[in-house]
Amino acid sequence: MVELLRGRPRRYTDDLDYNILKILGERKAPVGSGTLQIELRRRGFRLSAPTVGRRLRELEVDGHLTKVGVQGRALTGPGRAHLAELGRRVMLQTSSEALHHLVESGGKDEILDLLEARRILEREIIRLAVQRARERDLARLEQILRKQEQQVARGELGVAEDVEFHDALADIGGNKVLRSLLSVLRRQGQYTYIITYIRTRMGGRLAVDHVEILEAMRGRDLDRAQRAVDDHLRKLMRDVERYWRQAVRSTGRERRAGWQRKP
């Protein structure tokens, strides 16, 4: 049971827990509360020693940490799973704020340029992947899709699985330069969350597009595979356009309402 720190919003609590678990996850040895307090201070959390100690005990009660004698605390298996979940939650919140900023600043073209570059790049990646895919490669893609469908069924976005699927296609294609270029485009991880968030808001499902790509690869149908990849990315671009029109209209209404309320 995660409790909010007194007077703090959930976002702050999630950020704090994420950083605590991440620090412990990065260390091979248990970490004491004093060391943790110093490290948290470096990351912008100015908390007293009693507050840090209390938060550690709460995380321990929840099963995310375990105490190791007088040495400190270490991350548990459930703690690692919770860390991954918090990472997704924090990234989604950050992406939502970044998306709002992009709408305010007219940054739609940045996202569309990114998707257009991916569309060109991934047509060549899928061409190589269709030619070089082995049965074990197809089984790997199918396993990723199953994981993504499970994540979506639990209400998640399935972002990690989306990245994994496209990276797997690049691996199967075997061209290291194309793989590196895709990684460069993917390096803006925030955009990945933003694009997936937009797709979900517009009613689209990444997993459905991915199934079509996999089926085309199973049939060694190059034209169908390239069309599936192209359609997938074009849908994302259309969803970005649709979302932006709605967001801009909504922002305009909010501004007009604000002006009307002014004395």
Side-chain angles (χ1 to χ4, degrees):
M1 180 179 78
V2 175
E3 302 220 5
L4 298 181
L5 293 176
R6 183 175 299 175
R8 300 286 192 175
R10 178 170 293 280
R11 166 68 191 278
Y12 182 89
T13 303
D14 283 349
D15 280 348
L16 175 60
D17 287 354
Y18 173 72
N19 277 276
I20 289 175
L21 297 179
K22 195 169 189 297
I23 291 167
L24 270 66
E26 291 169 349
R27 305 293 180 92
K28 293 182 180 179
V31 179
S33 59
T35 301
L36 186 62
Q37 183 190 12
I38 293 170
E39 185 58 38
L40 286 171
R41 184 174 289 269
R42 290 196 187 110
R43 300 184 182 204
F45 294 92
R46 298 187 174 279
L47 302 172
S48 66
T51 299
V52 173
R54 185 165 55 251
R55 197 67 199 146
L56 287 173
R57 288 192 295 274
E58 289 168 352
L59 288 168
E60 185 180 345
V61 169
D62 288 341
H64 302 315
L65 301 178
T66 184
K67 195 166 186 180
V68 185
V70 296
Q71 301 172 55
R73 289 176 174 83
L75 201 59
T76 63
R80 291 188 183 282
H82 189 55
L83 172 60
E85 168 60 27
L86 284 174
R88 287 191 291 269
R89 197 184 300 170
V90 168
M91 177 62 84
L92 182 58
Q93 177 64 35
T94 304
S95 299
S96 178
E97 292 171 359
L99 178 55
H100 179 74
H101 173 72
L102 282 171
V103 170
E104 288 287 325
S105 63
K108 175 187 67 175
D109 289 344
E110 295 177 39
I111 299 178
L112 292 177
D113 286 347
L114 177 68
L115 289 170
E116 179 65 25
R118 277 187 55 193
R119 191 172 70 83
I120 295 168
L121 183 64
E122 294 200 46
R123 279 181 59 85
E124 182 60 20
I125 286 174
I126 196 67
R127 183 184 71 80
L128 295 173
V130 169
Q131 293 173 356
R132 298 174 181 177
R134 294 162 292 185
E135 283 304 315
R136 68 183 184 188
D137 295 322
L138 298 176
R140 176 187 174 191
L141 292 172
E142 187 173 0
Q143 183 180 26
I144 294 170
L145 287 189
R146 280 200 298 268
K147 285 195 301 182
Q148 186 173 40
E149 287 168 350
Q150 290 167 0
Q151 289 293 326
V152 171
R154 286 198 287 264
E156 301 290 340
L157 295 179
V159 174
E161 292 73 26
D162 176 51
V163 172
E164 189 178 359
F165 184 85
H166 286 274
D167 284 350
L169 289 176
D171 288 339
I172 294 167
N175 186 305
K176 293 181 180 179
V177 174
L178 293 178
R179 178 70 172 81
S180 296
L181 288 172
L182 183 62
S183 294
V184 169
L185 293 177
R186 287 278 192 196
R187 199 163 292 160
Q188 296 294 334
Q190 208 171 78
Y191 280 122
T192 301
Y193 272 81
I194 287 172
I195 291 166
T196 307
Y197 174 78
I198 289 174
R199 186 81 200 275
T200 304
R201 290 291 300 271
M202 293 295 100
R205 291 184 59 199
L206 295 172
V208 173
D209 294 351
H210 291 165
V211 169
E212 175 62 19
I213 294 170
L214 178 57
E215 288 304 313
M217 290 185 65
R218 285 193 186 284
R220 305 291 175 178
D221 189 332
L222 176 57
D223 288 340
R224 181 184 173 190
Q226 287 189 317
R227 279 199 309 274
V229 167
D230 202 59
D231 287 347
H232 171 52
L233 289 161
R234 284 184 182 277
K235 285 177 186 175
L236 292 176
M237 294 173 76
R238 285 196 297 270
D239 285 341
V240 169
E241 293 275 14
R242 287 171 55 211
Y243 180 88
W244 232 263
R245 285 196 295 271
Q246 292 182 15
V248 168
R249 283 199 297 269
S250 176
T251 300
R253 285 195 297 269
E254 290 173 2
R255 284 176 177 165
R256 286 195 296 274
W259 292 333
Q260 291 168 1
R261 283 194 296 270
K262 287 181 180 179

